[in-house]
Amino acid sequence: MKHMITIIQKQLLDTLKNKPILIQFILFPLFSIIMTYAIQIQEMPENFFVNLFATMYIGMAPLVSISAIISEEKEKNTLRVLLMADVSPTQYLIGIGSYVFFMCIMGGIVFCFLLNNVTNIQRMFFLFIMGIGIITSIIIGACIGVGSKNQMSATSVTIPVMMIFSFMPMLSMFNDKIQKVSKIIYSEQIRNLINNLENSRNDIENIAVIIINIILFGILFMSVYKELHADHETGAADNK
């Protein structure tokens, strides 16, 4: 617990200095506010812009943020200090991830208040689904950050991955072939769930795909982190 609290406190201070990371948390909620109130089109689906930008926000903001944070720590050797302190992969992921989750869920609350013609229970379900999606993106971004040598290499991987998870659900709305492929990714299932709030349709297939994504990427993160820890211990032994 002490390790996790220290990591969270450090990240809160770092974010105030890192404007690109801070922008990630407010960009899509701001776009959603502007588009929702500025554009009114007849026969447009209810909450179209809210659902669209919420899905893109889930696939982009937490993934990009945590990847940038971890790769920066790795480049500046901050992560090495944590490894020396025997911080476990679970402690590290919860410490970094809870901070990013908190910041992202604040944006999720903005999306909740923008929803029209829904009950409070549906708003809570919407926020719950967003939370699950944010957690999944955090794990994926952590895999990229830990597995990258530096910030530049992390960015080169993060951008295409982020585009797949954030833009594919939007493209699947207009292309049946893309929709068939996107069924295996969590962000598409998140989109399906939040688009059916009015019907209270909790599709088991949607939830199963999301859970499988979380498990697979969680295992990948644990594996990469432990390999990094083993490499550090080997290097420390060689130096002695």
Side-chain angles (χ1 to χ4, degrees), residues 4-229:
M4 290 184 288
I5 293 174
T6 301
I7 292 170
I8 294 170
Q9 290 173 340
K10 176 185 176 300
Q11 293 309 320
L12 285 172
L13 293 174
D14 287 349
T15 298
L16 297 176
K17 304 174 186 177
N18 195 331
K19 298 302 185 292
I21 297 296
L22 188 60
I23 289 173
Q24 291 291 332
F25 298 130
I26 63 175
L27 190 62
F28 280 104
L30 181 61
F31 279 168
S32 186
I33 293 172
I34 294 171
M35 298 295 283
T36 297
Y37 291 107
I39 299 179
Q40 300 293 330
I41 302 174
Q42 289 185 349
E43 299 183 2
M44 185 172 67
E46 190 76 44
N47 300 314
F48 176 79
F49 288 118
V50 177
N51 294 339
L52 175 64
F53 285 119
T55 304
M56 294 177 70
Y57 178 73
I58 289 168
M60 185 179 295
L63 195 154
V64 172
S65 300
I66 198 164
S67 173
I69 290 168
I70 294 177
S71 60
E72 181 181 7
E73 289 194 341
K74 193 173 180 183
E75 186 174 337
K76 293 181 178 180
N77 292 322
T78 307
L79 184 55
R80 180 179 297 178
V81 176
L82 296 175
L83 292 172
M84 291 174 63
D86 289 328
V87 175
S88 71
T90 304
Q91 291 172 345
Y92 184 68
L93 184 58
I94 292 176
I96 296 286
S98 59
Y99 152 75
V100 174
F101 179 85
F102 173 78
M103 297 297 288
C104 287
I105 210 68
M106 292 298 102
I109 292 173
V110 174
F111 287 112
C112 273
F113 281 108
L114 290 174
L115 290 170
N116 291 319
N117 299 323
V118 296
T119 65
N120 288 332
I121 293 177
Q122 289 170 340
R123 290 181 196 275
M124 294 301 295
F125 181 69
F126 177 91
L127 191 62
F128 172 75
I129 294 301
M130 281 200 70
I132 297 298
I134 290 168
I135 290 172
T136 312
S137 289
I138 285 171
I139 297 172
I140 297 171
C143 291
I144 297 172
V146 172
S148 302
K149 292 182 179 180
N150 50 48
Q151 284 183 280
M152 186 175 294
S153 61
T155 301
S156 65
V157 177
T158 300
I159 291 175
V161 172
M162 171 268 294
M163 291 184 69
I164 290 172
F165 290 124
S166 61
F167 288 102
M168 188 173 282
M170 179 185 67
L171 296 175
S172 70
M173 296 167 59
F174 309 103
N175 189 300
D176 292 337
K177 293 182 179 179
I178 294 178
Q179 188 176 44
K180 290 179 181 179
V181 176
S182 66
K183 285 182 178 181
I184 64 173
I185 64 174
Y186 72 100
S187 52
E188 170 68 10
Q189 304 307 328
I190 293 292
R191 183 185 72 83
N192 290 334
L193 287 169
I194 64 178
N195 278 339
N196 288 284
L197 289 178
E198 293 81 2
N199 299 324
S200 298
R201 214 183 85 188
N202 302 337
D203 197 322
I204 296 177
E205 181 182 349
N206 300 140
I207 297 172
V209 171
I210 296 170
I211 292 174
I212 291 171
N213 275 246
I214 292 174
I215 293 173
L216 290 177
F217 287 112
I219 293 172
L220 178 61
F221 172 78
M222 295 292 183
S223 176
V224 175
Y225 187 93
K226 287 179 179 178
E227 183 178 344
L228 181 65
H229 193 281

